[in-house]
Amino acid sequence: DAGVTQSPTHLIKTRGQQVTLRCSPKSGHDTVSWYQQALGQGPQFIFQYYEEEERQRGNFPDRFSGHQFPNYSSELNVNALLLGDSALYLCASSWNRGSYEQYFGPGTRLTVT
Amino acid sequence: DQQVKQNSPSLSVQEGRISILNCDYTNSMFDYFLWYKKYPAEGPTFLISISSIKDKNEDGRFTVFLNKSAKHLSLHIVPSQPGDSAVYFCAASRLYGQNFVFGPGTRLSVLP
């Protein structure tokens, strides 16, 4: 049973560039949430996708956008990167009707220079 | 304004003893709670959950207690093992299956 997978593992970008991160949910899950984790802090909710629509959004600017595909996989896009966007980006999947528990992938470490 | 607090940044426990990790929250609307552990360079691993209709949930060595009136939950690990050494996060949500608010984490060290 495949767990949540994310790609790439690491990424280095320059300030002002754009980045796309990818996530495949755990088998049987239909909902994907994205979180940002800065060093020494807990994960912060960015947004959640269900049925290919953004269902809920945290306190992040419009530079952060996402997409969910018919196979439930998801992308997180960040435009006009700032140094402060350097963080671990985590994807979590869940089953909308089955449980409120969320399962995380290994994360993508983004460094903005 | 931190809605979920884990006031102990770190905790050391002897192998075989009980580890108790605490979490406090300020929003009385939170109804769903999760505990995760996280090793360096890995994503958080789900441990155990509890909803507000219960005050206790057990899964093997892990037990979570919820005191809604005090807005407090705790995770008990018995017996503690060296492999339990990790950062532990509690998370809370108002809505079923939707966004979770995480605490800052507690680093647990289990000493052999």
Side-chain angles (χ1 to χ4, degrees), chain A residues 73-112:
Chain A
S73 68
S74 176
E75 287 182 350
L76 163 65
N77 301 292
V78 187
N79 293 324
L81 284 166
L82 304 174
L83 296 179
D85 295 331
S86 296
L88 180 68
Y89 287 85
L90 294 161
C91 166
S93 75
S94 53
W95 181 30
N96 185 60
R97 290 186 191 82
S99 169
Y100 55 90
E101 296 155 5
Q102 296 186 354
Y103 292 82
F104 282 88
T108 295
R109 171 70 61 188
L110 172 65
T111 303
V112 182

mmCIF file of all heavy atoms in Angstrom, chain A residues 73-112:
data_model
loop_
_atom_site.group_PDB
_atom_site.id
_atom_site.type_symbol
_atom_site.label_atom_id
_atom_site.label_comp_id
_atom_site.label_asym_id
_atom_site.label_seq_id
_atom_site.Cartn_x
_atom_site.Cartn_y
_atom_site.Cartn_z
ATOM 1 N N SER A 73 -4.126 13.397 -7.311
ATOM 2 C CA SER A 73 -2.819 13.992 -7.072
ATOM 3 C C SER A 73 -2.936 15.512 -7.097
ATOM 4 O O SER A 73 -3.944 16.059 -7.573
ATOM 5 C CB SER A 73 -1.791 13.503 -8.090
ATOM 6 O OG SER A 73 -2.117 13.998 -9.369
ATOM 7 N N SER A 74 -1.913 16.173 -6.587
ATOM 8 C CA SER A 74 -2.023 17.616 -6.424
ATOM 9 C C SER A 74 -0.690 18.300 -6.681
ATOM 10 O O SER A 74 0.374 17.684 -6.587
ATOM 11 C CB SER A 74 -2.502 17.927 -4.996
ATOM 12 O OG SER A 74 -2.547 19.323 -4.747
ATOM 13 N N GLU A 75 -0.767 19.564 -7.032
ATOM 14 C CA GLU A 75 0.414 20.420 -7.188
ATOM 15 C C GLU A 75 0.262 21.660 -6.333
ATOM 16 O O GLU A 75 -0.855 22.165 -6.139
ATOM 17 C CB GLU A 75 0.565 20.865 -8.648
ATOM 18 C CG GLU A 75 1.026 19.799 -9.595
ATOM 19 C CD GLU A 75 1.201 20.323 -11.009
ATOM 20 O OE1 GLU A 75 0.776 21.465 -11.289
ATOM 21 O OE2 GLU A 75 1.745 19.565 -11.835
ATOM 22 N N LEU A 76 1.396 22.125 -5.830
ATOM 23 C CA LEU A 76 1.469 23.408 -5.133
ATOM 24 C C LEU A 76 2.392 24.292 -5.954
ATOM 25 O O LEU A 76 3.510 23.894 -6.276
ATOM 26 C CB LEU A 76 2.031 23.215 -3.730
ATOM 27 C CG LEU A 76 2.546 24.462 -2.997
ATOM 28 C CD1 LEU A 76 1.415 25.433 -2.712
ATOM 29 C CD2 LEU A 76 3.254 24.079 -1.703
ATOM 30 N N ASN A 77 1.918 25.472 -6.317
ATOM 31 C CA ASN A 77 2.714 26.435 -7.076
ATOM 32 C C ASN A 77 2.972 27.663 -6.214
ATOM 33 O O ASN A 77 2.052 28.147 -5.541
ATOM 34 C CB ASN A 77 1.972 26.872 -8.338
ATOM 35 C CG ASN A 77 1.653 25.710 -9.245
ATOM 36 O OD1 ASN A 77 2.546 25.103 -9.819
ATOM 37 N ND2 ASN A 77 0.387 25.376 -9.349
ATOM 38 N N VAL A 78 4.201 28.123 -6.253
ATOM 39 C CA VAL A 78 4.533 29.365 -5.560
ATOM 40 C C VAL A 78 5.210 30.287 -6.565
ATOM 41 O O VAL A 78 6.217 29.917 -7.176
ATOM 42 C CB VAL A 78 5.456 29.137 -4.353
ATOM 43 C CG1 VAL A 78 5.633 30.445 -3.575
ATOM 44 C CG2 VAL A 78 4.926 28.039 -3.452
ATOM 45 N N ASN A 79 4.628 31.484 -6.746
ATOM 46 C CA ASN A 79 5.186 32.485 -7.673
ATOM 47 C C ASN A 79 5.996 33.522 -6.916
ATOM 48 O O ASN A 79 5.825 33.709 -5.703
ATOM 49 C CB ASN A 79 4.040 33.190 -8.406
ATOM 50 C CG ASN A 79 3.302 32.263 -9.326
ATOM 51 O OD1 ASN A 79 3.898 31.387 -9.947
ATOM 52 N ND2 ASN A 79 1.994 32.432 -9.399
ATOM 53 N N ALA A 80 6.864 34.218 -7.664
ATOM 54 C CA ALA A 80 7.615 35.336 -7.099
ATOM 55 C C ALA A 80 8.225 34.978 -5.751
ATOM 56 O O ALA A 80 7.968 35.618 -4.730
ATOM 57 C CB ALA A 80 6.701 36.568 -6.967
ATOM 58 N N LEU A 81 9.036 33.940 -5.750
ATOM 59 C CA LEU A 81 9.600 33.407 -4.512
ATOM 60 C C LEU A 81 10.349 34.463 -3.707
ATOM 61 O O LEU A 81 11.079 35.299 -4.250
ATOM 62 C CB LEU A 81 10.538 32.251 -4.833
ATOM 63 C CG LEU A 81 9.863 30.939 -5.208
ATOM 64 C CD1 LEU A 81 10.872 29.972 -5.823
ATOM 65 C CD2 LEU A 81 9.184 30.311 -3.998
ATOM 66 N N LEU A 82 10.129 34.394 -2.392
ATOM 67 C CA LEU A 82 10.843 35.240 -1.432
ATOM 68 C C LEU A 82 11.764 34.375 -0.594
ATOM 69 O O LEU A 82 11.542 33.158 -0.461
ATOM 70 C CB LEU A 82 9.837 35.948 -0.511
ATOM 71 C CG LEU A 82 8.751 36.791 -1.180
ATOM 72 C CD1 LEU A 82 7.760 37.290 -0.137
ATOM 73 C CD2 LEU A 82 9.376 37.956 -1.939
ATOM 74 N N LEU A 83 12.768 35.013 -0.003
ATOM 75 C CA LEU A 83 13.679 34.251 0.855
ATOM 76 C C LEU A 83 12.906 33.542 1.974
ATOM 77 O O LEU A 83 13.225 32.414 2.354
ATOM 78 C CB LEU A 83 14.732 35.177 1.468
ATOM 79 C CG LEU A 83 15.690 35.857 0.493
ATOM 80 C CD1 LEU A 83 16.659 36.773 1.242
ATOM 81 C CD2 LEU A 83 16.470 34.828 -0.323
ATOM 82 N N GLY A 84 11.858 34.189 2.459
ATOM 83 C CA GLY A 84 11.054 33.642 3.552
ATOM 84 C C GLY A 84 10.226 32.431 3.156
ATOM 85 O O GLY A 84 9.617 31.802 4.026
ATOM 86 N N ASP A 85 10.185 32.111 1.874
ATOM 87 C CA ASP A 85 9.459 30.912 1.438
ATOM 88 C C ASP A 85 10.288 29.650 1.640
ATOM 89 O O ASP A 85 9.793 28.537 1.444
ATOM 90 C CB ASP A 85 9.069 31.027 -0.039
ATOM 91 C CG ASP A 85 8.081 32.152 -0.299
ATOM 92 O OD1 ASP A 85 7.291 32.468 0.616
ATOM 93 O OD2 ASP A 85 8.103 32.702 -1.417
ATOM 94 N N SER A 86 11.537 29.803 2.018
ATOM 95 C CA SER A 86 12.387 28.638 2.292
ATOM 96 C C SER A 86 11.802 27.866 3.465
ATOM 97 O O SER A 86 11.611 28.422 4.562
ATOM 98 C CB SER A 86 13.810 29.082 2.630
ATOM 99 O OG SER A 86 14.421 29.713 1.534
ATOM 100 N N ALA A 87 11.493 26.603 3.240
ATOM 101 C CA ALA A 87 10.824 25.799 4.260
ATOM 102 C C ALA A 87 10.686 24.369 3.758
ATOM 103 O O ALA A 87 11.037 24.060 2.618
ATOM 104 C CB ALA A 87 9.437 26.359 4.564
ATOM 105 N N LEU A 88 10.156 23.514 4.621
ATOM 106 C CA LEU A 88 9.762 22.167 4.235
ATOM 107 C C LEU A 88 8.281 22.214 3.873
ATOM 108 O O LEU A 88 7.458 22.666 4.669
ATOM 109 C CB LEU A 88 9.992 21.192 5.400
ATOM 110 C CG LEU A 88 9.630 19.721 5.155
ATOM 111 C CD1 LEU A 88 10.578 19.104 4.127
ATOM 112 C CD2 LEU A 88 9.677 18.940 6.463
ATOM 113 N N TYR A 89 7.946 21.777 2.676
ATOM 114 C CA TYR A 89 6.556 21.775 2.230
ATOM 115 C C TYR A 89 6.024 20.347 2.315
ATOM 116 O O TYR A 89 6.563 19.426 1.693
ATOM 117 C CB TYR A 89 6.440 22.343 0.816
ATOM 118 C CG TYR A 89 6.647 23.836 0.836
ATOM 119 C CD1 TYR A 89 7.928 24.374 0.789
ATOM 120 C CD2 TYR A 89 5.567 24.705 0.984
ATOM 121 C CE1 TYR A 89 8.137 25.750 0.859
ATOM 122 C CE2 TYR A 89 5.763 26.079 1.055
ATOM 123 C CZ TYR A 89 7.046 26.588 1.001
ATOM 124 O OH TYR A 89 7.239 27.946 1.093
ATOM 125 N N LEU A 90 4.972 20.206 3.088
ATOM 126 C CA LEU A 90 4.413 18.891 3.379
ATOM 127 C C LEU A 90 3.038 18.743 2.752
ATOM 128 O O LEU A 90 2.217 19.667 2.794
ATOM 129 C CB LEU A 90 4.288 18.708 4.891
ATOM 130 C CG LEU A 90 5.600 18.658 5.665
ATOM 131 C CD1 LEU A 90 5.359 18.932 7.146
ATOM 132 C CD2 LEU A 90 6.271 17.299 5.495
ATOM 133 N N CYS A 91 2.821 17.574 2.204
ATOM 134 C CA CYS A 91 1.520 17.229 1.660
ATOM 135 C C CYS A 91 0.912 16.171 2.571
ATOM 136 O O CYS A 91 1.619 15.256 3.030
ATOM 137 C CB CYS A 91 1.714 16.694 0.241
ATOM 138 S SG CYS A 91 0.305 15.861 -0.461
ATOM 139 N N ALA A 92 -0.365 16.288 2.860
ATOM 140 C CA ALA A 92 -1.059 15.293 3.681
ATOM 141 C C ALA A 92 -2.311 14.849 2.947
ATOM 142 O O ALA A 92 -2.996 15.671 2.325
ATOM 143 C CB ALA A 92 -1.436 15.884 5.031
ATOM 144 N N SER A 93 -2.605 13.566 2.988
ATOM 145 C CA SER A 93 -3.822 13.091 2.342
ATOM 146 C C SER A 93 -4.769 12.479 3.367
ATOM 147 O O SER A 93 -4.360 12.050 4.457
ATOM 148 C CB SER A 93 -3.491 12.094 1.225
ATOM 149 O OG SER A 93 -3.109 10.832 1.739
ATOM 150 N N SER A 94 -6.034 12.460 3.005
ATOM 151 C CA SER A 94 -7.064 11.896 3.874
ATOM 152 C C SER A 94 -8.231 11.441 3.013
ATOM 153 O O SER A 94 -8.292 11.717 1.812
ATOM 154 C CB SER A 94 -7.524 12.929 4.908
ATOM 155 O OG SER A 94 -7.920 14.134 4.281
ATOM 156 N N TRP A 95 -9.153 10.723 3.660
ATOM 157 C CA TRP A 95 -10.347 10.227 2.963
ATOM 158 C C TRP A 95 -11.539 11.008 3.486
ATOM 159 O O TRP A 95 -11.851 10.921 4.672
ATOM 160 C CB TRP A 95 -10.505 8.737 3.224
ATOM 161 C CG TRP A 95 -11.682 8.125 2.527
ATOM 162 C CD1 TRP A 95 -12.240 8.511 1.341
ATOM 163 C CD2 TRP A 95 -12.445 7.012 2.981
ATOM 164 N NE1 TRP A 95 -13.296 7.703 1.032
ATOM 165 C CE2 TRP A 95 -13.445 6.770 2.004
ATOM 166 C CE3 TRP A 95 -12.366 6.176 4.097
ATOM 167 C CZ2 TRP A 95 -14.371 5.744 2.139
ATOM 168 C CZ3 TRP A 95 -13.289 5.152 4.226
ATOM 169 C CH2 TRP A 95 -14.285 4.945 3.257
ATOM 170 N N ASN A 96 -12.168 11.779 2.616
ATOM 171 C CA ASN A 96 -13.194 12.722 3.045
ATOM 172 C C ASN A 96 -14.312 12.067 3.839
ATOM 173 O O ASN A 96 -14.805 12.619 4.816
ATOM 174 C CB ASN A 96 -13.776 13.428 1.816
ATOM 175 C CG ASN A 96 -14.753 14.515 2.203
ATOM 176 O OD1 ASN A 96 -14.398 15.447 2.899
ATOM 177 N ND2 ASN A 96 -15.996 14.380 1.774
ATOM 178 N N ARG A 97 -14.727 10.871 3.447
ATOM 179 C CA ARG A 97 -15.874 10.264 4.124
ATOM 180 C C ARG A 97 -15.470 9.301 5.228
ATOM 181 O O ARG A 97 -16.288 8.897 6.032
ATOM 182 C CB ARG A 97 -16.745 9.514 3.115
ATOM 183 C CG ARG A 97 -17.484 10.410 2.159
ATOM 184 C CD ARG A 97 -18.441 9.605 1.267
ATOM 185 N NE ARG A 97 -18.974 10.410 0.182
ATOM 186 C CZ ARG A 97 -18.333 10.633 -0.944
ATOM 187 N NH1 ARG A 97 -17.138 10.097 -1.141
ATOM 188 N NH2 ARG A 97 -18.856 11.375 -1.889
ATOM 189 N N GLY A 98 -14.213 8.922 5.239
ATOM 190 C CA GLY A 98 -13.834 7.824 6.123
ATOM 191 C C GLY A 98 -13.274 8.224 7.471
ATOM 192 O O GLY A 98 -13.552 7.589 8.472
ATOM 193 N N SER A 99 -12.476 9.284 7.493
ATOM 194 C CA SER A 99 -11.758 9.601 8.718
ATOM 195 C C SER A 99 -11.223 11.025 8.650
ATOM 196 O O SER A 99 -10.988 11.543 7.563
ATOM 197 C CB SER A 99 -10.600 8.626 8.904
ATOM 198 O OG SER A 99 -9.747 9.055 9.933
ATOM 199 N N TYR A 100 -11.015 11.630 9.799
ATOM 200 C CA TYR A 100 -10.426 12.976 9.806
ATOM 201 C C TYR A 100 -8.901 12.931 9.917
ATOM 202 O O TYR A 100 -8.255 13.961 9.904
ATOM 203 C CB TYR A 100 -11.005 13.805 10.951
ATOM 204 C CG TYR A 100 -10.880 13.178 12.324
ATOM 205 C CD1 TYR A 100 -9.763 13.419 13.112
ATOM 206 C CD2 TYR A 100 -11.879 12.372 12.831
ATOM 207 C CE1 TYR A 100 -9.652 12.864 14.365
ATOM 208 C CE2 TYR A 100 -11.776 11.796 14.083
ATOM 209 C CZ TYR A 100 -10.659 12.048 14.847
ATOM 210 O OH TYR A 100 -10.548 11.486 16.093
ATOM 211 N N GLU A 101 -8.346 11.728 9.990
ATOM 212 C CA GLU A 101 -6.896 11.611 10.143
ATOM 213 C C GLU A 101 -6.192 11.959 8.830
ATOM 214 O O GLU A 101 -6.652 11.594 7.753
ATOM 215 C CB GLU A 101 -6.541 10.199 10.592
ATOM 216 C CG GLU A 101 -7.100 9.874 11.967
ATOM 217 C CD GLU A 101 -7.308 8.398 12.195
ATOM 218 O OE1 GLU A 101 -6.937 7.595 11.317
ATOM 219 O OE2 GLU A 101 -7.834 8.030 13.255
ATOM 220 N N GLN A 102 -5.078 12.663 8.933
ATOM 221 C CA GLN A 102 -4.297 13.061 7.774
ATOM 222 C C GLN A 102 -2.927 12.381 7.833
ATOM 223 O O GLN A 102 -2.297 12.324 8.896
ATOM 224 C CB GLN A 102 -4.122 14.578 7.718
ATOM 225 C CG GLN A 102 -5.439 15.324 7.537
ATOM 226 C CD GLN A 102 -5.247 16.812 7.342
ATOM 227 O OE1 GLN A 102 -4.155 17.350 7.433
ATOM 228 N NE2 GLN A 102 -6.354 17.500 7.048
ATOM 229 N N TYR A 103 -2.485 11.892 6.684
ATOM 230 C CA TYR A 103 -1.205 11.187 6.587
ATOM 231 C C TYR A 103 -0.265 11.997 5.710
ATOM 232 O O TYR A 103 -0.630 12.395 4.600
ATOM 233 C CB TYR A 103 -1.418 9.784 6.005
ATOM 234 C CG TYR A 103 -2.179 8.885 6.940
ATOM 235 C CD1 TYR A 103 -3.565 8.939 7.009
ATOM 236 C CD2 TYR A 103 -1.515 8.012 7.791
ATOM 237 C CE1 TYR A 103 -4.271 8.138 7.893
ATOM 238 C CE2 TYR A 103 -2.212 7.193 8.673
ATOM 239 C CZ TYR A 103 -3.588 7.268 8.714
ATOM 240 O OH TYR A 103 -4.278 6.475 9.593
ATOM 241 N N PHE A 104 0.947 12.201 6.216
ATOM 242 C CA PHE A 104 1.897 13.081 5.546
ATOM 243 C C PHE A 104 2.884 12.331 4.664
ATOM 244 O O PHE A 104 3.255 11.180 4.939
ATOM 245 C CB PHE A 104 2.705 13.873 6.580
ATOM 246 C CG PHE A 104 1.950 15.030 7.162
ATOM 247 C CD1 PHE A 104 1.159 14.864 8.279
ATOM 248 C CD2 PHE A 104 2.035 16.291 6.584
ATOM 249 C CE1 PHE A 104 0.460 15.938 8.816
ATOM 250 C CE2 PHE A 104 1.344 17.369 7.117
ATOM 251 C CZ PHE A 104 0.557 17.187 8.237
ATOM 252 N N GLY A 105 3.322 13.026 3.625
ATOM 253 C CA GLY A 105 4.441 12.575 2.814
ATOM 254 C C GLY A 105 5.753 13.022 3.441
ATOM 255 O O GLY A 105 5.765 13.679 4.490
ATOM 256 N N PRO A 106 6.876 12.695 2.783
ATOM 257 C CA PRO A 106 8.193 13.023 3.332
ATOM 258 C C PRO A 106 8.555 14.493 3.218
ATOM 259 O O PRO A 106 9.479 14.957 3.884
ATOM 260 C CB PRO A 106 9.147 12.161 2.510
ATOM 261 C CG PRO A 106 8.426 11.962 1.220
ATOM 262 C CD PRO A 106 6.966 11.913 1.557
ATOM 263 N N GLY A 107 7.833 15.233 2.382
ATOM 264 C CA GLY A 107 8.100 16.658 2.250
ATOM 265 C C GLY A 107 9.066 17.000 1.136
ATOM 266 O O GLY A 107 9.828 16.149 0.649
ATOM 267 N N THR A 108 9.010 18.249 0.715
ATOM 268 C CA THR A 108 9.964 18.832 -0.227
ATOM 269 C C THR A 108 10.655 19.986 0.470
ATOM 270 O O THR A 108 9.993 20.906 0.957
ATOM 271 C CB THR A 108 9.273 19.354 -1.502
ATOM 272 O OG1 THR A 108 8.705 18.266 -2.220
ATOM 273 C CG2 THR A 108 10.269 20.103 -2.385
ATOM 274 N N ARG A 109 11.977 19.918 0.538
ATOM 275 C CA ARG A 109 12.751 21.004 1.151
ATOM 276 C C ARG A 109 13.054 22.040 0.086
ATOM 277 O O ARG A 109 13.786 21.755 -0.853
ATOM 278 C CB ARG A 109 14.039 20.430 1.744
ATOM 279 C CG ARG A 109 15.038 21.488 2.229
ATOM 280 C CD ARG A 109 14.584 22.211 3.454
ATOM 281 N NE ARG A 109 14.393 21.335 4.607
ATOM 282 C CZ ARG A 109 13.861 21.719 5.751
ATOM 283 N NH1 ARG A 109 13.443 22.959 5.899
ATOM 284 N NH2 ARG A 109 13.733 20.863 6.735
ATOM 285 N N LEU A 110 12.474 23.236 0.225
ATOM 286 C CA LEU A 110 12.695 24.329 -0.726
ATOM 287 C C LEU A 110 13.636 25.346 -0.106
ATOM 288 O O LEU A 110 13.402 25.825 0.999
ATOM 289 C CB LEU A 110 11.367 25.005 -1.085
ATOM 290 C CG LEU A 110 11.470 26.282 -1.921
ATOM 291 C CD1 LEU A 110 12.048 25.985 -3.305
ATOM 292 C CD2 LEU A 110 10.103 26.954 -2.042
ATOM 293 N N THR A 111 14.688 25.658 -0.821
ATOM 294 C CA THR A 111 15.621 26.710 -0.406
ATOM 295 C C THR A 111 15.589 27.810 -1.451
ATOM 296 O O THR A 111 15.776 27.542 -2.642
ATOM 297 C CB THR A 111 17.055 26.167 -0.272
ATOM 298 O OG1 THR A 111 17.058 25.083 0.669
ATOM 299 C CG2 THR A 111 18.002 27.251 0.202
ATOM 300 N N VAL A 112 15.325 29.030 -1.005
ATOM 301 C CA VAL A 112 15.308 30.193 -1.899
ATOM 302 C C VAL A 112 16.525 31.042 -1.593
ATOM 303 O O VAL A 112 16.743 31.447 -0.437
ATOM 304 C CB VAL A 112 14.020 31.010 -1.725
ATOM 305 C CG1 VAL A 112 14.009 32.187 -2.706
ATOM 306 C CG2 VAL A 112 12.795 30.136 -1.929
#
